[in-house]
Amino acid sequence: MTRSIDGHSGDVSRRVTYLTAGSPARPAANASKAKRGDDPSARQFEGQVAELKRCIPILSCLIADCDRLAADLDQEVRGEEDRVKVHDSADVAYSTYAKANASRRDNLRRSADGLRAHLAKAEGALRELGESTCSFP
């Protein structure tokens, strides 16, 4: 399953592999700016690195948001279960509100796990390209 971030669809690692598969070796880190500007493969490499560096903090923020929302929903579920004094979701008397929020919470957790996998692929692709990952709060 592919996800879309700011209109860019597809799997980051697959896109990077596709773009670098037939290209010559990576440009040296000490290559002059003028030489890099004339080399299309160097510009493509820099574009890939820039795209990955742009996606990583976005993915990190999305993961943090999903985790925060899931924790909030978990509190809501616990509060509702305590209010109606029914903690077994299989019980007929279990709150519909708690069941709906538990479902939303579980979906958010699955989404966060998917985003974590996507983030790991992006960070791996960035390491593969020879760049260090940026640490973001």
Side-chain angles (χ1 to χ4, degrees):
M1 176 185 214
T2 59
R3 299 193 187 277
S4 175
I5 300 172
D6 295 339
H8 298 285
S9 63
D11 184 74
V12 172
S13 63
R14 185 175 58 219
R15 186 170 60 231
V16 171
T17 304
Y18 170 75
L19 293 174
T20 61
S23 62
R26 221 176 36 221
N30 59 1
S32 69
K33 192 70 168 174
K35 186 175 180 182
R36 286 182 132 189
D38 295 338
D39 186 13
S41 64
R43 280 182 284 170
Q44 188 178 34
F45 171 77
E46 290 172 355
Q48 292 170 4
V49 170
E51 176 70 14
L52 288 169
K53 284 186 176 181
R54 185 189 67 78
C55 285
I56 288 173
I58 292 170
L59 288 170
S60 297
C61 287
L62 287 171
I63 291 167
D65 287 347
C66 285
D67 288 340
R68 181 184 49 78
L69 289 170
D72 290 347
L73 286 170
D74 197 42
Q75 286 294 102
E76 288 283 327
V77 169
R78 285 190 196 133
E80 182 66 9
E81 287 175 345
D82 290 342
R83 186 184 72 78
V84 296
K85 295 177 181 36
V86 177
H87 296 278
D88 181 16
S89 61
D91 193 332
V92 176
Y94 191 74
S95 170
T96 305
Y97 179 74
K99 194 178 286 188
N101 278 343
S103 176
R104 289 179 62 211
R105 175 200 61 206
D106 295 342
N107 285 339
L108 279 168
R109 286 180 179 164
R110 278 192 297 275
S111 295
D113 290 342
L115 288 169
R116 280 187 191 92
H118 196 67
L119 177 63
K121 286 181 184 179
E123 288 174 340
L126 193 60
R127 275 191 301 275
E128 190 175 291
L129 291 171
E131 295 288 325
S132 63
T133 56
C134 302
S135 59
F136 296 95

